[in-house]
């Protein structure tokens, strides 16, 4: 990474010694489904561990973020500078000294790998890692992973590091075969309805109908007037070798946004060995969908595509490195859209919390993060029809400091899509901006609701809002195809947010930044979605899941946004 320096050792003379006292840190009973253990890793194998050091005052950062993002607050939208965020995020001198002393005593060479100094990298033999941290590093394989991964089912901390180290990675967090929120279905589009513009052709209750940018503009009153502000970048993330093709984007816009310049493109940034080659037959379906609807909705907004890692990359590491990349960027995007995630359980509490804290720091600087809620209904990534009604949350969409987007289908009425991921986190408490909405929803559940024991009603719930998400037309490798999923809805919402930011900047006002308190304070700017059942694609509609109700619910969130109302609220 660009930000890499040696951690200064502050101890003068310490005798090398391994701590004899270990404090339990994190454990999982078994590897996630599909993984097979192949025994302990060789003692001589060199392992690179990342240590997430405790920030000095994350709680105060979260309080400040809620204050500056809540309408009516005295410091509303007074986003923080990089240095102001750093005062909350940097580890305390006690934490730095404790870690340096431990590292020196055990002959460990350390490198700081984050601009806030809260992530440190160490490479050491597996035998030493096992002894220092009470671990048993093991090789695990999965039939859909290209290579084994090294993990331990339990990790402890030397007593002198307890309270100073939040997480060690890799340890108990697992990656997954496919981390993308890929649309579950893609198919050639019906040729006689390729250019849907009028509502009658956009009603996807009829499977022969399609969604185009014109449909979304018509349904949600989104303007087509080009943006004018150059300092308002919309960033699209890409992982697992999902590549975006300029030729496909330009062909898509030529057909569905012929009012735009024919040479529209995007800037590309690369991270962790990521690439974005251009050429026939190599575009990624997810990246294609994300870039084309971000560009198709955010008329004239500067677009950037961030390609992170390879198909071999560990997805939790890729998400972490994305936050580090953004934190050290010379100029932040104002909006980030991401259509990728995993079940919370893959990350585990400590790593998910540390990454979520990083999103809080970036959100406090005025960045709007939008994540798709997933396409497995209440079953997370286990929507295979085998087990239903699982009530599994996904991450990063469960993080309280990002905005999560679900999907709808049809209109008059608009229905919550059955595949929309939604529910309650198993890790994060409900944030104050959401407690009333959650309370009102829970009143609609009967005491005998079969899922009551499967989710924590005091925790963060998602999604926050929704948008159409079925039968989106895209230009994929030169052909017009259909796509669906919350990964269709999310970049479209991100485009709307970017257009509002353009107007705010033009008026000399701060950008929207962290959205959620503003959204929940302006429920009237949404079209309420009151029908739907998120049992998933594969599970039957009769299986237990959440139902859409008046007001917020864990399928459609607050509903779908009406652009003029949201813009008016933002400008007020």
């Amino acid at each position: 990474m660009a930000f890499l320096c040696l951690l200064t050792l502050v101890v003068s003379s310490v005798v090398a010694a391994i701590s004899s006292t270990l404090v339990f840190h994190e454990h999982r009973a078994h590897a996630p489904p599909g993984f097979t253990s192949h025994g302990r890793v060789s003692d001589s194998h060199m392992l690179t561990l990342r240590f997430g050091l405790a920030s000095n005052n994350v709680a105060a950062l979260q309080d400040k973020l809620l204050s500056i993002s809540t309408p009516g607050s005295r410091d509303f939208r007074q986003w923080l500078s990089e240095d102001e965020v750093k005062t909350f995020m940097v580890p305390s001198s006690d934490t730095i000294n404790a870690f340096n002393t431990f590292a020196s005593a055990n002959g460990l060479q350390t490198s700081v790998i984050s601009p806030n100094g809260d992530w440190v990298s160490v490479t050491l033999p597996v035998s030493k890692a096992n002894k220092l941290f009470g671990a048993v590093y093991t090789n695990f394989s999965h039939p859909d992973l290209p290579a084994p991964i090294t993990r331990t089912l339990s990790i402890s901390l030397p007593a002198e590091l307890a309270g100073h180290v939040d997480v060690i990675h890799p340890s108990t967090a697992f990656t997954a075969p496919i981390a993308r929120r890929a649309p579950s279905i893609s198919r050639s589009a019906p040729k006689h309805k390729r250019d849907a513009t009028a509502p009658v052709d956009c009603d996807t209750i009829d499977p022969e109908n399609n969604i185009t940018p014109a449909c979304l503009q018509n349904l949600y009153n989104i303007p087509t007037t080009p943006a004018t502000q150059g300092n308002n970048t919309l960033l699209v993330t890409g992982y697992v070798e999902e590549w975006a093709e300029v030729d496909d984007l330009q062909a898509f816009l030529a057909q569905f946004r012929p009012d735009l310049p024919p040479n529209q493109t995007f800037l590309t940034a690369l991270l962790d060995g990521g690439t974005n080659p251009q050429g026939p037959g190599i575009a990624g379906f997810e990246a294609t969908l994300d870039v084309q609807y971000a560009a198709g909705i955010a008329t004239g907004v500067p677009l950037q595509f961030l390609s992170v890692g390879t198909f071999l990359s560990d997805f939790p590491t890729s998400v972490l490195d994305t936050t580090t990349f953004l934190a050290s960027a010379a100029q932040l995007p104002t909006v980030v859209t991401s259509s990728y995630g995993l079940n919370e359980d893959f990350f585990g509490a400590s790593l998910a919390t540390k990454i979520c804290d990083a999103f809080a720091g970036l959100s406090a600087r005025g960045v709007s993060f939008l994540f798709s809620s997933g396409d497995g209904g209440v079953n997370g990534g286990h929507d295979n029809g085998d087990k239903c009604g699982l009530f599994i949350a996904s991450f990063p969409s469960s993080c309280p400091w990002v905005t999560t987007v679900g999907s709808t289908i049809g209109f008059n009425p608009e229905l919550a899509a059955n595949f929309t991921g939604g529910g309650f986190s198993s890790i994060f408490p409900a944030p104050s901006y959401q407690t009333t909405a959650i309370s009102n929803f829970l009143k609609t559940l009967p005491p005998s609701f079969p899922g009551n024991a499967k989710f924590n009603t005091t925790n963060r719930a998602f999604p926050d809002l929704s948008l159409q998400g079925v039968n989106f037309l895209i230009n994929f490798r030169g052909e017009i195809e259909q796509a669906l999923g919350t990964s269709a809805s999310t970049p479209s919402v991100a485009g709307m947010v970017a257009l509002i930011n353009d107007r705010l900047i033009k008026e000399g006002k701060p950008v929207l930044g962290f959205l959620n308190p503003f959204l929940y304070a302006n429920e009237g700017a949404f079209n309420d979605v009151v029908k739907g059942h998120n049992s998933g694609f594969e599970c039957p509609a009769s299986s237990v899941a959440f139902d859409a109700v008046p007001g917020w619910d864990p399928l459609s969130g607050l509903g779908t946004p009406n652009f003029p109302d949201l813009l008016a609220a933002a400008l007020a």
Side-chain angles (χ1 to χ4, degrees):
M1 297 181 65
F3 189 93
L4 185 65
C5 64
L6 292 179
L7 181 69
T8 304
L9 296 177
V10 298
V11 293
S12 56
S13 177
V14 183
V15 177
I18 294 175
S19 173
S20 59
T21 304
L22 291 175
V23 178
F24 169 78
H25 185 63
E26 199 159 29
H27 167 80
R28 65 164 63 236
H30 48 74
F35 283 90
T36 301
S37 169
H38 294 278
R40 296 177 64 140
V41 180
S42 168
D43 283 349
S44 61
H45 178 75
M46 299 303 290
L47 181 65
T48 297
L49 298 179
R50 298 177 179 218
F51 294 81
L53 304 185
S55 298
N56 75 84
N57 205 342
V58 166
L61 171 66
Q62 294 172 354
D63 289 343
K64 184 66 174 178
L65 176 54
L66 286 172
S67 177
I68 60 179
S69 59
T70 299
S73 171
R74 289 184 301 175
D75 52 359
F76 182 48
R77 292 199 186 130
Q78 294 180 22
W79 307 117
L80 305 184
S81 68
E82 179 181 358
D83 287 341
E84 287 172 326
V85 169
K86 188 174 291 188
T87 63
F88 297 103
M89 299 291 285
V90 294
S92 68
S93 58
D94 287 346
T95 289
I96 294 173
N97 290 339
F99 189 82
N100 287 346
T101 300
F102 168 81
S104 179
N106 292 284
L108 303 178
Q109 296 295 315
T110 61
S111 297
V112 173
I113 55 173
S114 67
N116 294 322
D118 55 341
W119 280 97
V120 178
S121 175
V122 172
T123 300
L124 72 171
V126 163
S127 59
K128 196 167 192 175
N130 285 339
K131 191 170 185 180
L132 285 174
F133 305 110
V136 181
Y137 274 98
T138 301
N139 283 320
F140 291 92
S141 68
H142 190 286
D144 295 327
L145 281 177
I149 62 173
T150 299
R151 296 295 188 270
T152 178
L153 298 183
S154 182
I155 194 85
S156 296
L157 293 174
E160 58 267 37
L161 294 185
H164 297 298
V165 172
D166 289 336
V167 61
I168 300 174
H169 183 69
S171 58
T172 60
F174 277 66
T175 191
I178 299 177
R180 64 175 70 88
R181 289 276 191 257
S184 298
I185 300 174
S186 65
R187 54 181 177 258
S188 296
K191 297 186 182 303
H192 62 288
K193 292 190 177 180
R194 289 165 57 112
D195 297 297
T197 56
V200 65
D201 294 325
C202 306
D203 187 354
T204 50
I205 289 295
D206 180 347
E208 295 298 305
N209 286 338
N210 307 301
I211 292 291
T212 64
C215 288
L216 300 178
Q217 290 158 350
N218 193 305
L219 292 173
Y220 304 120
N221 301 302
I222 304 169
T224 60
T225 307
T228 60
Q229 306 302 305
N231 56 340
N232 176 35
T233 300
L234 168 53
L235 185 144
V236 178
T237 65
Y239 301 97
V240 291
E241 296 185 10
E242 280 285 325
W243 299 325
E245 298 294 310
V246 173
D247 285 350
D248 285 353
L249 171 63
Q250 292 179 347
F252 171 82
L253 295 176
Q255 179 165 356
F256 299 114
R257 289 299 310 273
D259 55 314
L260 296 181
N263 60 344
Q264 183 158 339
T265 186
F266 51 84
L267 297 177
T268 299
L270 306 176
L271 179 64
D272 289 354
T275 58
N276 194 45
Q278 301 294 296
I282 60 175
F285 198 88
E286 182 63 72
T288 297
L289 172 61
D290 292 350
V291 165
Q292 289 180 8
Y293 275 84
I297 296 302
T299 307
V301 171
L303 197 64
Q304 185 176 27
F305 179 70
L306 175 63
S307 178
V308 185
T310 69
F311 198 73
L312 296 174
S313 296
D314 172 70
F315 180 65
T317 299
S318 295
V319 177
L320 168 62
D321 287 350
T322 299
T323 65
T324 301
F325 170 83
L326 291 171
S328 56
Q331 183 174 348
L332 284 171
T334 60
V335 185
V336 175
T337 178
S338 189
S339 297
Y340 304 78
L342 290 174
N343 292 345
E344 275 186 335
D345 179 60
F346 278 91
F347 283 83
S350 62
L351 183 59
T353 299
K354 192 66 173 175
I355 293 174
C356 188
D357 290 343
F359 284 124
L362 290 163
S363 295
R365 293 174 61 186
V367 181
S368 301
F369 286 94
L370 294 109
F371 280 86
S372 59
S373 69
D375 296 340
V378 295
N379 304 304
H382 294 292
D383 183 35
N384 55 17
D386 181 27
K387 295 180 179 179
C388 301
L390 298 177
F391 294 90
I392 296 174
S394 60
F395 182 84
S397 54
S398 64
C399 173
W401 314 117
V402 305
T403 300
T404 305
V405 183
S407 287
T408 60
I409 180 173
F411 57 89
N412 293 329
E414 198 167 11
L415 309 176
N418 64 348
F419 58 78
T420 293
F424 292 77
S425 171
S426 296
I427 297 173
F428 302 103
S432 57
Y433 61 76
Q434 198 183 37
T435 51
T436 298
I438 292 174
S439 176
N440 290 337
F441 170 75
L442 292 175
K443 292 174 184 176
T444 70
L445 294 180
S448 59
F449 181 64
N452 276 340
K454 297 183 179 181
F455 56 91
N456 190 332
T457 59
T458 65
N459 279 3
R460 154 75 162 151
F462 65 98
D464 299 299
L465 74 163
S466 54
L467 199 86
Q468 291 284 314
V470 175
N471 287 4
F472 275 48
L473 294 185
I474 63 172
N475 188 303
F476 178 59
R477 300 179 180 179
E479 300 292 333
I480 301 300
E481 296 198 8
Q482 285 178 329
L484 77 162
T486 56
S487 50
S489 313
T490 306
S492 304
V493 172
M496 296 173 71
V497 174
L499 288 177
I500 293 175
N501 280 341
D502 180 76
R503 285 290 303 275
L504 289 169
I505 296 171
K506 184 178 180 180
E507 298 287 334
K509 297 177 181 290
V511 295
L512 288 170
F514 178 49
L515 294 167
N516 293 2
F518 166 72
L519 299 181
Y520 283 83
N522 287 282
E523 191 171 350
F526 293 85
N527 310 300
D528 198 6
V529 177
V530 299
K531 292 185 178 182
H533 183 76
N534 66 338
S535 52
F537 270 127
E538 302 298 333
C539 288
S542 59
S543 61
V544 62
F546 293 117
D547 291 317
V549 298
W552 178 90
D553 54 64
L555 295 78
S556 66
L558 295 165
T560 57
N562 182 38
F563 185 91
D565 292 340
L566 209 57
L567 175 63
L571 291 171

